[in-house]
Amino acid sequence: MSRKLRQSFVLSFISLVTLNLLLAACGTDSPLSDPAQTAPTQASQLTTTTTSPTSPATTAPQSQATAPANPVATATPVPVVVPRFEAANCPFKLGKGQVDGQNINCGYLVTWAEHKKAQGQTLRLAVAILKSTGSKPAPQPLVYLEGGPGGPVEGIIRAYSDSIPIDRFPAKSLLNDHNMIFIDQRGVGYSVPTLECFENNELIYADLVNGLDLRAKKDEDLDKRDLAALDTCYKRLVTEGNDLSDFNTAENAADINDLRLALGYDKIDLFGVSYGTQLALTVMREFPQGLRSVILDSTVPLQADIYAQNPANLDRSLKVLFKNCAANPACNRAYPNLAATFIRAIARLNAEPGAVEVTDPRNGKTYLYYVQASSLLNVFFQSFYDNQFIPAMPVILAGIDNNNYDKLSQLLSYSLFGSQNISDGMYYSVDCSEAVAFSSPEAITNNSRNTLPEIQKYFVPSSQKIFKTCQHWPVKPANSVETQPVVSDLPTLVMSGEYDPITPPSYGQLAAKTLSKSFWMQFPGIGHGVVFSSACGTTVAAAFLQNPATRPDASCIAGMSTKFVINN
């Protein structure tokens, strides 16, 4: 079981399920005209190299061979600045009302693959700049850092379009006061290179098309097949010229600082979600001079052993669900003793996997998937990410207890097919070097001793598979500083969701301990990604950005709770 549930089910940390559902329901090459975005203002911090006009965009100039006896005329080499921003047409489909060159501008940040060398290979990172809808936006932009690691930003950018009303995506209001900048991090989405492992995605379709019945397959056989696909992806990416050890959070943080410099900003505001908070914390440590304020939404403290604590965190989320249902009169009447229902549901699937119809939301094709006890726990883990599914979990559990899987079908569909939004290569390159390298299977066992027996039996072994996986993705271990608390006096808003299974409220509190000017808040009824899930979260974030030195008004939290779905 990995941070993004790679062994069975996957969901991007920024609530891709919600954004996909919302989206389903519902021309110039220059950057924005804001003077701050037109040219670097800190050229002394930029690196200048020399290249000819025909040099490839992905490499720095190489030493020239001896000139031929009869040389031909060549163009005079011209200086090239790295980092730099190159305007370009948006490479993805824009949402309703988004017009390239008017309220959205795209391009590429050209930056070093390895910043300390400041030479050799360069990367092209896809950037989109959304123009503020207000008449007087703040002088500094709000730079969004996606989760994953390896999550793309295309879906979130389109969520800011006219396709989705603000009452269904309140985070759109952040555009009132800020230009917003989105970047596909190195190895992700439309950036070049991208570290997508299509070999893994092909297995999902192969299993579904062939009607894979997991009852007839041994776990070790499936593991060998999955690892073989991963080996193929790793070798392909290396053969394509990628040093996968360059795809890490420290280099990512330097990219964000390069983005600020290339667009000519003295200060920026950062907004990170999930892994984006780990990245934001690293930027705070390495480049504090470029930051005005930081929002950490669903925080990953660098010092947390996130894999070792996964089972215990799921256990906590389940117990919060059981407690809240029992305290809600309607939920308690409809689903008395939800904990016992959960135990029976797990036992049922252990005895006989349940056949569930799943539908690919992109093409409407339907497949049959067999859910086992272990895979159901992975689904529950994933359900707690999204407050769309949390209220329905008692209904789902009651259905399974009665051998009815209709309510599970929608969640499972998005769980399976959402995996293809993630850059596997970036995910494993980051986590194998920065998280797994500093943890162990024994740590998972030790941290799970007080969890529910069902978690110990089914979820712990699933969680431990990441250590075998990383043996097939060899990258250099990160510097130990990547496991140390970040100490900062930058104004920081730390937001936690009550049910969050991967970055629980205790993680937000842990990170805030060493951030002297931080404000930590917990939001009831919310899972992972507070701002994207809650109007209250967006309101608090907007108030903080207006005055980061003062604790924002969070009185709206008092009215939040879980609105359980009752199946009459």
Side-chain angles (χ1 to χ4, degrees):
M1 178 70 175
S2 73
R3 204 195 305 189
K4 70 182 180 78
L5 317 182
R6 170 49 55 193
Q7 301 303 330
S8 300
F9 304 100
V10 184
L11 184 65
S12 174
F13 282 124
I14 47 73
S15 195
L16 283 173
V17 167
T18 297
L19 294 177
N20 284 334
L21 287 175
L22 287 172
L23 289 166
C26 313
T28 168
D29 289 343
S30 63
L32 289 177
S33 57
D34 185 339
Q37 296 176 353
T38 58
T41 60
Q42 303 182 38
S44 61
Q45 300 184 52
L46 306 180
T47 302
T48 301
T49 185
T50 301
T51 184
S52 69
T54 57
S55 296
T58 55
T59 58
Q62 305 295 316
S63 59
Q64 299 297 315
T66 302
N70 296 303
V72 296
T74 58
T76 302
V78 295
V80 174
V81 174
V82 178
R84 67 181 183 273
F85 178 80
E86 296 181 351
N89 292 328
C90 294
F92 52 87
K93 182 179 179 181
L94 299 179
K96 182 181 178 182
Q98 292 178 336
V99 181
D100 198 347
Q102 294 185 21
N103 55 8
I104 182 171
N105 293 83
C106 297
Y108 291 90
L109 170 70
V110 180
T111 185
W112 298 114
E114 190 173 351
H115 286 86
K116 287 184 178 180
K117 287 185 177 180
Q119 62 180 350
Q121 185 179 11
T122 59
L123 309 179
R124 294 173 60 80
L125 308 185
V127 176
I129 306 169
L130 293 184
K131 187 175 181 179
S132 172
T133 55
S135 58
K136 295 182 179 179
Q140 65 287 324
L142 181 61
V143 178
Y144 175 72
L145 305 179
E146 173 61 301
V153 295
E154 177 183 356
I156 295 183
I157 293 171
R158 287 208 307 273
Y160 277 88
S161 71
D162 297 339
S163 305
I164 302 174
I166 195 168
D167 62 331
R168 301 185 67 190
F169 189 66
K172 291 175 68 173
S173 64
L174 293 176
L175 270 177
N176 293 344
D177 300 318
H178 290 81
N179 293 325
M180 292 187 68
I181 300 177
F182 299 83
I183 182 170
D184 271 337
Q185 298 162 26
R186 54 175 54 204
V188 176
Y190 291 95
S191 292
V192 182
T194 180
L195 303 186
E196 180 184 0
C197 285
F198 56 80
E199 295 88 348
N200 294 353
N201 295 333
E202 288 173 352
L203 286 180
I204 296 176
Y205 277 108
D207 289 347
L208 294 172
V209 170
N210 296 329
L212 175 67
D213 187 341
L214 295 178
R215 295 171 296 182
K217 299 287 184 180
K218 295 181 179 179
D219 283 347
E220 52 267 30
D221 293 334
L222 294 174
D223 289 345
K224 288 180 180 178
R225 183 202 60 175
D226 293 345
L227 292 174
L230 199 65
D231 285 337
T232 301
C233 179
Y234 181 91
K235 293 175 182 176
R236 174 177 58 80
L237 293 175
V238 171
T239 300
E240 291 172 355
N242 300 294
D243 183 346
L244 298 180
S245 291
D246 288 341
F247 294 83
N248 57 57
T249 305
E251 296 288 359
N252 243 349
D255 294 341
I256 301 306
N257 190 57
D258 281 355
L259 178 65
R260 176 183 68 86
L261 294 173
L263 292 179
Y265 285 106
D266 180 53
K267 301 281 186 182
I268 59 175
D269 291 312
L270 278 187
F271 168 30
V273 178
S274 196
Y275 168 73
T277 66
Q278 180 179 333
L279 175 54
L281 284 164
T282 306
V283 177
M284 293 169 71
R285 183 190 70 208
E286 298 295 331
F287 307 101
Q289 72 280 3
L291 302 180
R292 171 181 173 266
S293 71
V294 180
I295 297 174
L296 303 178
D297 183 347
S298 306
T299 307
V300 182
L302 272 62
Q303 66 268 41
D305 189 342
I306 194 167
Y307 283 103
Q309 296 163 1
N310 262 352
N313 287 338
L314 172 59
D315 182 82
R316 184 203 68 86
S317 296
L318 283 166
K319 289 174 180 175
V320 169
L321 177 73
F322 301 155
K323 177 183 176 181
N324 286 351
C325 182
N328 181 294
C331 187
N332 191 45
R333 283 194 302 270
Y335 314 107
N337 200 347
L338 191 60
T341 304
F342 163 80
I343 293 171
R344 290 195 302 270
I346 294 293
R348 172 182 287 278
L349 293 180
N350 181 48
E352 180 66 25
V356 181
E357 283 194 350
V358 296
T359 303
D360 187 337
R362 295 164 301 183
N363 56 29
K365 291 184 177 180
T366 299
Y367 308 90
L368 195 63
Y369 191 88
Y370 289 86
V371 180
Q372 297 175 308
S374 58
S375 53
L376 181 65
L377 283 171
N378 291 341
V379 171
F380 286 166
F381 190 101
Q382 191 162 333
S383 298
F384 284 121
Y385 274 60
D386 201 311
N387 68 324
Q388 173 187 224
F389 294 109
I390 293 169
M393 289 185 70
V395 177
I396 293 173
L397 280 171
I400 296 171
D401 189 33
N402 291 302
N403 200 32
N404 183 337
Y405 302 98
D406 292 344
K407 301 294 184 181
L408 182 61
S409 177
Q410 184 187 42
L411 172 60
L412 186 55
S413 297
Y414 279 96
S415 299
L416 285 167
F417 298 107
S419 66
Q420 297 176 58
N421 291 297
I422 298 291
S423 168
D424 295 280
M426 182 58 177
Y427 174 80
Y428 289 120
S429 294
V430 171
D431 269 16
C432 290
S433 67
E434 299 174 21
V436 175
F438 297 93
S439 187
S440 68
E442 293 74 25
I444 292 180
T445 300
N446 293 335
N447 277 278
S448 306
R449 297 193 186 282
N450 296 321
T451 62
L452 294 165
E454 292 76 17
I455 287 179
Q456 295 180 36
K457 183 175 182 180
Y458 300 110
F459 198 71
V460 167
S462 178
S463 300
Q464 291 172 328
K465 289 181 180 181
I466 185 62
F467 295 94
K468 181 182 292 185
T469 300
C470 284
Q471 293 175 5
H472 292 255
W473 200 270
V475 286
K476 298 174 184 176
N479 188 296
S480 60
V481 71
E482 305 303 338
T483 66
Q484 301 302 312
V486 171
V487 178
S488 175
D489 60 1
L490 286 165
T492 308
L493 175 63
V494 186
M495 312 173 79
S496 300
E498 179 187 22
Y499 288 99
D500 195 335
I502 188 70
T503 58
S506 61
Y507 279 16
Q509 292 175 303
L510 181 63
K513 283 183 178 180
T514 54
L515 305 176
S516 62
K517 295 181 180 178
S518 64
F519 309 106
W520 174 79
M521 301 177 186
Q522 176 176 305
F523 292 76
I526 300 298
H528 195 68
V530 175
V531 172
F532 291 136
S533 303
S534 160
C536 180
T538 299
T539 299
V540 171
F544 169 76
L545 289 171
Q546 288 180 353
N547 188 0
T550 302
R551 185 178 185 87
D553 179 5
S555 56
C556 58
I557 290 177
M560 299 179 68
S561 63
T562 308
K563 311 298 183 185
F564 287 106
V565 174
I566 307 301
N567 192 10
N568 295 322

